[in-house]
Amino acid sequence: MGYKQKLNHILIATDLSKNSDFALSRAIEIAKTTKANLTVLHVVQKMYLDNFLDKTFKKILPKPLWLTTEEYKEQLIQEKLHAFSIEKVNIKYAIISTGKPALKILQYAKKTKVDLLIMGAHGNYSIRDTFVGTTAEYVVKKTKCPVLIVKKPANIAYKIILLPVDFSTPSKNAFRYALQLFPNANLKLLHVGDYQYEELLNKEKKEENIPKKKINQIQKAISFYLENKMKKLINGYKKQLTKYSTSIQFGYPAPTILVAAKKFNPDLIVMGAQGHSRNHYLFIGSVANWVMTETDKDILLAPRTK
């Protein structure tokens, strides 16, 4: 199952921090390009003191002198939107008073039939922080729509995209989504062959005394097989592709992807939220989570189905 041809509704979940403005700026840019509706969502985290002050001062002070937590957050959102160029963007905002951010974001996204969810991160390696740590990982795991994690200022459009593919359904969905959302970008398609294959060959070479020439033939055969799978994937989208390159490498998927990210220096990484290799990394989390945590690049994760 693929994605809809038209992007109708974008949701940006923000904690109203300075770094979340990167995500808001990117969301507005994408909404302008796709002509999608944009909703800014904030889940208010109220402490006991906030509740006490809201109830106490709301009764004795007029509004200009005292705003409830929700009213203050609404004012902050309005001020942020005024700071951006939002002409030709159908934009609204929603404030949810209480609840766990991840659950409320998922509920709102499902209720309003969101096509793309955008969240901001705090700094280059901020995925472990309170808001975009537990929240983002949980949302990515549970949602049925693509999630874009923004880590850098949205100064330019995404021009170079690293696209790791393992030929799984989420991986193919990620490819289709990248083509749909960023049709003019230069795609760097990367397939990382399973590291267990390399270890098996080395073991057989030592224990079974297989000639080196035979090992090389097997390696070439596997590479040829993977290259054909990549060509088959590419051929299905020839008409949509403008600029692209392909690469086949062997090794541990997550570290190899991170090395490729340094080499190609992409503006964005697009990959499936789950793939064939996830069981190999159960003890340290999925490949997607590992890359999402360690990279300083923006990353778009596509689910298995829409």
Side-chain angles (χ1 to χ4, degrees):
M1 184 182 296
Y3 294 100
K4 296 187 298 184
Q5 291 300 311
K6 184 172 175 9
L7 196 66
N8 292 316
H9 187 197
I10 299 172
L11 176 67
I12 167 165
T14 176
D15 63 357
L16 300 177
S17 65
K18 179 180 177 181
N19 292 85
S20 288
D21 290 348
F22 299 162
L24 179 57
S25 178
R26 183 64 69 182
I28 291 172
E29 175 209 338
I30 295 174
K32 284 181 179 178
T33 303
T34 61
K35 303 187 186 309
N37 296 324
L38 176 62
T39 300
V40 181
L41 174 67
H42 175 68
V43 181
V44 178
Q45 296 293 283
K46 296 176 72 171
M47 301 293 105
Y48 174 80
L49 182 60
D50 294 322
N51 287 315
F52 173 77
L53 293 176
D54 284 349
K55 291 179 181 179
T56 302
F57 288 103
K58 188 176 182 179
K59 296 177 181 178
I60 61 178
L61 293 176
K63 267 191 177 180
L65 296 179
W66 180 261
L67 296 175
T68 64
T69 304
E70 290 82 0
E71 290 168 338
Y72 174 66
K73 298 294 185 179
E74 181 179 353
Q75 188 178 80
L76 283 180
I77 290 176
Q78 291 174 343
E79 290 174 356
K80 287 180 181 295
L81 291 179
H82 283 306
F84 293 99
S85 174
I86 56 175
E87 294 87 0
K88 300 181 181 180
V89 178
N90 186 5
I91 188 169
K92 65 178 182 179
Y93 56 84
I95 296 177
I96 299 177
S97 295
T98 56
K100 294 182 179 180
L103 292 177
K104 293 299 180 181
I105 291 168
L106 287 168
Q107 290 170 2
Y108 190 90
K110 182 178 181 180
K111 180 181 177 181
T112 58
K113 298 181 180 179
V114 167
D115 299 311
L116 174 63
L117 173 59
I118 300 177
M119 301 174 69
H122 301 169
N124 289 342
Y125 297 94
S126 58
I127 207 70
R128 295 188 179 93
D129 70 31
T130 303
F131 181 73
V132 188
T134 306
T135 301
E137 291 178 8
Y138 187 83
V139 167
V140 167
K141 182 179 179 181
K142 297 294 184 179
T143 189
K144 297 299 181 182
C145 73
V147 180
L148 172 61
I149 306 296
V150 179
K151 298 190 176 188
K152 291 181 173 292
N155 296 327
I156 60 173
Y158 295 132
K159 295 181 179 179
I160 301 176
I161 296 177
L162 176 62
L163 185 56
V165 293
D166 63 1
F167 311 119
S168 65
T169 298
S171 178
K172 292 175 182 177
N173 285 344
F175 185 27
R176 286 193 290 269
Y177 202 76
L179 289 173
Q180 174 195 335
L181 197 54
F182 313 109
N184 299 316
N186 184 356
L187 300 183
K188 305 289 187 181
L189 285 93
L190 168 68
H191 175 74
V192 182
D194 199 323
Y195 74 96
Q196 289 184 342
Y197 151 74
E198 290 286 275
E199 291 185 349
L200 177 62
L201 281 185
N202 289 331
K203 181 180 179 181
E204 291 295 319
K205 182 179 178 180
K206 292 178 181 178
E207 295 182 1
E208 303 299 330
N209 198 27
I210 298 176
K212 184 177 180 181
K213 184 178 179 180
K214 187 66 175 180
I215 294 293
N216 290 338
Q217 288 176 343
I218 296 173
Q219 289 174 328
K220 288 181 180 179
I222 295 294
S223 296
F224 182 75
Y225 167 75
L226 294 175
E227 287 168 2
N228 277 341
K229 291 199 72 171
M230 181 72 82
K231 288 178 182 178
K232 185 178 180 180
L233 178 65
I234 293 293
N235 287 338
Y237 302 95
K238 275 285 188 180
K239 293 182 179 179
Q240 295 102 304
L241 285 167
T242 54
K243 296 180 180 179
Y244 73 94
S245 62
T246 63
S247 176
I248 305 290
Q249 298 184 33
F250 291 95
Y252 290 86
T256 304
I257 292 168
L258 291 169
V259 170
K262 291 184 178 181
K263 176 183 176 182
F264 293 116
N265 192 27
D267 306 304
L268 176 69
I269 299 174
V270 179
M271 62 188 297
Q274 294 179 343
H276 294 316
S277 301
R278 71 178 187 271
N279 291 332
H280 299 164
Y281 296 86
L282 191 60
F283 65 102
I284 51 175
S286 73
V287 175
N289 273 353
W290 189 352
V291 175
M292 180 175 66
T293 300
E294 296 301 328
T295 186
D296 64 345
K297 310 296 182 183
D298 291 2
I299 182 167
L300 174 63
L301 298 171
R304 178 168 295 276
T305 58
K306 179 71 174 76

